[in-house]
Amino acid sequence: MSKQGHTRAVKGMKDILPTESHLWLKVEALCQEIFSRRGYRQIRMPILESTSLFSRSIGAETDIVSKEMYTFDDRNGDSVTLRPEGTASCVRAGIENGLFYNQQQRLWYTGPMFRYERPQKGRYRQFHQVGVECYGWSTPDIEAEVLGMCKQLFSVLGLENTMLYINSLGDSASRAQYRTALVEYLSQHKSQLDDDSVRRLDTNPLRILDSKNADVQALLENAPNILDFLSEESKQHFTDLQRYLTALGVEFSINPKLVRGLDYYNDTVFEWINHDYGAQSTVCGGGRYDGMVEQLGGQATPAFGFGMGMERLIEMLQEQDAQSMQAEQQAQVFVVSVGDEARLQALTLQQALTDSGVVVQCHMGAGSMKNQFKRADKSGAIVGLIIGEDEAKEHQASIKILSRDHAHALAQSEQQTIAQLDVVNVVTNLLDSL
Ligand code: ATP
Ligand code: MG
């Protein structure tokens, strides 16, 4: 509680205010548009899942499962968790509802995720992802399709400086061989490893590859390269993906140290990074996870997908071009009214005009004519509709051009009185003519 005694939001969780929410709506609408052009359909999963879902899929040794989950017992004593990511829920929902049974699926979702992390720029405890998941294709063509959609999204948003990094983790046999080679190499130089990396040597050695520690990174310069361990099949898969991306005009760099935080990936993994943004610069990450459906009890189904961080994306948009971010819909008409009967008529006109797609602000509550005109000017509306007591009696409205830019739009006088029945026609014609 603050000094004043009001309750504040939980640490790391933030409100998305009207000054920002229009950007969220814009990005979500764009995602829907871009994804549905290729037949992706939305799925909505619950926010709360059984805890075992995440320990079985994400991996017990990952940061997420070992220290970041919001887990608690419900009133029945069952352990439940606020989802830290969407993929496991999506797989569970697919198995439970028979979506993978002799079918292929292109799915997308959006919603809040929860991780108990240290809050900072681009890192929150409640954050939002847009996710895409594809089930039933083991070939790299589907990967190129998905990465092509990401590229389209970034281009339309003007985030051209978002770079794609790809890698291949191979199949589980070659990854096991690589893990052995890496552990052998790093064990010979154990004194140069930080505590975190020493611990990971036993639990999750591949994660050492994306250590932020400079000494560890220097040591990794001469470490074995995962790409040298790929099977012929994985090599071909990775080469084909690169060929498709090049044909699509999707630029990429290969980063053999890119392993991603979750245990479940195989073959292709990728990240989109915006280097203009600062430390939390990864805006989107994903890859292939062919083993997960079976791992969670379904029939073996190849899978590929990504999660994109909405907060980071929105902040990148704001930083890049604050001016061009149009605010919410500008009012086109402002209705001034005085007296109870006039107010009732004003509300009726607002209903009719908005039915026709016009953006209308109606003065509410008390307020003198003068005060209401001030608000009308401030609103930025082009047209003012005035219903005083006289107009109300005659079921009329006076119409006035508020914006100086359009002062010429009404021919003779600066104000005309018309029948309320004609208002929708007159106003829509007037707005069309401007
Ligand atoms: P990071 O390395 O930044 O912690 P991650 O590998 O944990 O990311 P993923 O689990 O792959 O992230 O999630 C996909 C995307 O979701 C990330 O690329 C990022 O944009 C976003 N994201 C992840 N964690 C957070 C968070 N705590 N707050 C805001 N966005 C997040
Ligand atoms: Mg993380």
Side-chain angles (χ1 to χ4, degrees):
M1 288 229 271
S2 75
K3 256 190 248 158
Q4 294 82 15
H6 65 266
T7 308
R8 294 188 166 271
V10 173
K11 185 176 172 189
M13 313 208 170
K14 64 173 189 141
D15 302 302
I16 297 160
L17 299 175
T19 43
E20 195 181 290
S21 57
H22 65 281
L23 289 177
W24 287 73
L25 289 166
K26 179 177 157 179
V27 173
E28 284 161 5
L30 252 177
C31 288
Q32 133 100 67
E33 194 187 319
I34 289 173
F35 301 160
S36 58
R37 274 183 214 149
R38 306 198 196 210
Y40 287 75
R41 296 179 301 162
Q42 198 184 52
I43 181 166
R44 302 186 187 205
M45 298 85 68
I47 289 169
L48 203 61
E49 296 275 6
S50 292
T51 303
S52 60
L53 174 67
F54 303 111
S55 39
R56 284 175 70 187
S57 57
I58 299 176
E61 297 304 337
T62 57
D63 285 352
I64 293 182
V65 173
S66 65
K67 56 186 188 204
E68 293 174 1
M69 294 208 301
Y70 280 88
T71 297
F72 56 95
D73 288 350
D74 70 10
R75 289 175 189 276
N76 192 38
D78 296 325
S79 180
V80 291
T81 295
L82 288 170
R83 65 179 182 198
E85 53 111 53
T87 303
S89 301
C90 193
V91 169
R92 184 211 37 76
I95 296 171
E96 201 166 330
N97 297 286
L99 301 189
F100 307 140
Y101 193 72
N102 286 336
Q103 293 178 70
Q104 295 171 318
Q105 295 287 349
R106 290 181 169 89
L107 303 174
W108 77 282
Y109 53 81
T110 179
M113 309 291 161
F114 303 84
R115 296 184 194 176
Y116 196 81
E117 301 197 72
R118 191 169 70 77
Q120 54 197 290
K121 182 184 173 184
R123 196 176 291 288
Y124 308 96
R125 289 180 175 177
Q126 175 176 324
F127 64 101
H128 298 74
Q129 284 183 349
V130 162
V132 160
E133 317 285 356
C134 307
Y135 300 97
W137 294 274
S138 56
T139 41
D141 44 4
I142 193 74
E143 303 172 5
E145 170 174 286
V146 168
L147 293 167
M149 290 198 305
C150 292
K151 161 105 180 172
Q152 281 175 334
L153 181 66
F154 297 135
S155 299
V156 176
L157 292 172
L159 294 173
E160 308 288 355
N161 221 351
T162 312
M163 309 308 222
L164 173 62
Y165 296 85
I166 60 174
N167 190 22
S168 176
L169 302 178
D171 56 27
S172 53
S174 62
R175 205 160 52 256
Q177 280 172 18
Y178 176 67
R179 190 179 296 123
T180 308
L182 183 68
V183 169
E184 194 175 311
Y185 171 81
L186 291 173
S187 303
Q188 287 163 11
H189 306 273
K190 213 167 176 173
S191 60
Q192 285 166 259
L193 291 176
D194 59 350
D195 293 348
D196 226 23
S197 300
V198 171
R199 205 169 330 114
R200 284 186 166 146
L201 212 46
D202 291 326
T203 58
N204 200 351
L206 262 58
R207 282 314 307 270
I208 300 175
L209 294 179
D210 65 9
S211 163
K212 304 276 184 301
N213 184 297
D215 295 336
V216 176
Q217 275 305 325
L219 186 61
L220 286 169
E221 289 288 313
N222 298 315
N225 183 332
I226 195 164
L227 295 175
D228 296 333
F229 287 74
L230 298 185
S231 68
E232 281 312 312
E233 206 182 328
S234 290
K235 251 186 229 165
Q236 188 63 48
H237 184 106
F238 197 42
T239 312
D240 287 344
L241 171 63
Q242 293 171 49
R243 195 159 47 82
Y244 294 153
L245 290 176
T246 306
L248 293 181
V250 179
E251 284 171 43
F252 60 88
S253 309
I254 296 173
N255 175 5
K257 293 201 189 107
L258 176 58
V259 289
R260 316 266 315 119
L262 318 177
D263 272 356
Y264 53 58
Y265 292 111
N266 66 281
D267 285 307
T268 311
V269 288
F270 66 90
E271 284 185 349
W272 289 88
I273 298 184
N274 186 322
H275 293 288
D276 296 338
Y277 182 67
Q280 269 60 251
S281 55
T282 307
V283 63
C284 175
R288 179 166 285 287
Y289 53 99
D290 292 341
M292 201 205 284
V293 177
E294 199 174 16
Q295 169 101 6
L296 289 178
Q299 65 176 18
T301 305
F304 183 81
F306 69 72
M308 181 148 50
M310 284 288 280
E311 279 76 5
R312 292 185 198 177
L313 190 69
I314 301 281
E315 281 167 30
M316 286 167 192
L317 285 175
Q318 286 170 323
E319 284 183 13
Q320 156 189 280
D321 198 353
Q323 274 88 36
S324 78
M325 292 304 151
Q326 275 286 321
E328 57 282 355
Q329 286 204 64
Q330 172 80 51
Q332 295 170 295
V333 174
F334 193 101
V335 192
V336 165
S337 57
V338 177
D340 184 57
E341 181 54 31
R343 181 57 49 83
L344 200 141
Q345 293 173 8
L347 288 168
T348 312
L349 284 183
Q350 183 188 39
Q351 192 79 8
L353 281 164
T354 49
D355 275 343
S356 301
V358 180
V359 185
V360 185
Q361 241 187 69
C362 197
H363 181 89
M364 303 284 165
S368 68
M369 209 43 126
K370 193 175 154 205
N371 170 292
Q372 292 192 37
F373 270 116
K374 259 193 212 154
R375 283 169 191 258
D377 278 336
K378 244 188 166 166
S379 77
I382 301 166
V383 176
L385 282 177
I386 303 122
I387 312 177
E389 282 173 10
D390 292 346
E391 283 101 340
K393 266 186 224 138
E394 305 294 328
H395 289 270
Q396 290 178 326
S398 296
I399 183 166
K400 187 177 186 245
I401 299 295
L402 298 172
S403 121
R404 250 171 253 254
D405 296 346
H406 300 298
H408 60 280
L410 278 185
Q412 315 91 349
S413 63
E414 66 156 12
Q415 195 166 311
Q416 287 174 14
T417 301
I418 58 174
Q420 284 180 17
L421 279 176
D422 296 330
V423 162
V424 171
N425 257 334
V426 171
V427 168
T428 48
N429 285 336
L430 188 61
L431 290 170
D432 282 347
S433 72
L434 299 177

